């Protein structure tokens, strides 16, 4: 059976007769080559890493306004994201049982009623 499979592979690769196939000692290479062909048919998963874009000043204003409306932010709603904005977001995240990291993530935005911004 193994000889037949190797002969078939040799014919498909361009050899016209079994005499043109690889020597007996090289049959393992043919076998592993056939295995590699089978293995290469497996589905390849492509992972794309998309860098998150920094919010625009207008988006920062929306977030600051939402934090101010809920009583967390007391500074000027000017689109400049600073320490006061980060602390307000951390307090909001703590009370919403979210990860208190001060980062503007999708869960925080959804909890603020803003949701993720479409691109």
């Amino acid at each position: 059976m193994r000889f037949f499979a190797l002969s078939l592979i040799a014919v498909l690769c361009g050899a016209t007769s079994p005499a043109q196939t690889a020597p007996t000692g090289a049959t393992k290479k043919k076998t592993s080559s056939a295995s590699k062909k089978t293995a290469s048919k497996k589905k390849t998963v492509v992972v794309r890493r998309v860098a998150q874009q920094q919010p625009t000043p207008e988006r920062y204003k929306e977030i600051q306004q939402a934090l101010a409306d809920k009583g967390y932010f007391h500074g000027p709603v000017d689109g400049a994201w600073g320490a006061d904005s980060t602390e307000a977001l951390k307090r909001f995240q703590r009370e919403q049982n979210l990860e208190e990291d001060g980062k503007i993530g999708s869960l925080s935005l959804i909890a603020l009623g803003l949701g993720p911004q479409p691109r």
Side-chain angles (χ1 to χ4, degrees):
M1 182 70 172
R2 186 179 290 178
F3 178 74
F4 175 74
L6 291 174
S7 297
L8 181 60
I9 291 171
V11 171
L12 292 174
C13 292
T16 56
S17 70
Q20 291 179 331
T21 61
T24 309
T27 56
K28 287 187 178 181
K29 287 188 178 181
K30 285 289 185 184
T31 303
S32 49
S33 176
S35 298
K36 287 180 183 176
K37 287 181 182 178
T38 304
S40 67
K41 291 181 182 180
K42 292 181 181 178
K43 187 176 180 181
T44 303
V45 177
V46 177
V47 177
R48 295 184 189 171
R49 296 189 185 263
V50 179
Q52 186 174 358
Q53 295 178 345
Q54 183 174 355
T56 63
E58 189 60 38
R59 185 66 167 163
Y60 280 136
K61 283 183 187 179
E62 291 175 3
I63 298 166
Q64 286 173 330
Q65 187 62 56
L67 287 167
D69 291 346
K70 296 184 181 305
Y72 294 97
F73 183 65
H74 303 291
V77 178
D78 57 5
W81 195 263
D84 291 344
S85 302
T86 303
E87 287 305 314
L89 182 59
K90 283 182 179 181
R91 285 193 304 276
F92 174 76
Q93 290 169 330
R94 184 180 322 116
E95 290 190 17
Q96 296 297 313
N97 294 320
L98 299 172
E99 184 179 352
E100 187 183 334
D101 57 6
K103 295 180 182 177
I104 303 168
S106 59
L107 294 177
S108 296
L109 291 172
I110 291 168
L112 283 168
L114 298 176
Q117 186 78 5
R119 293 182 197 180

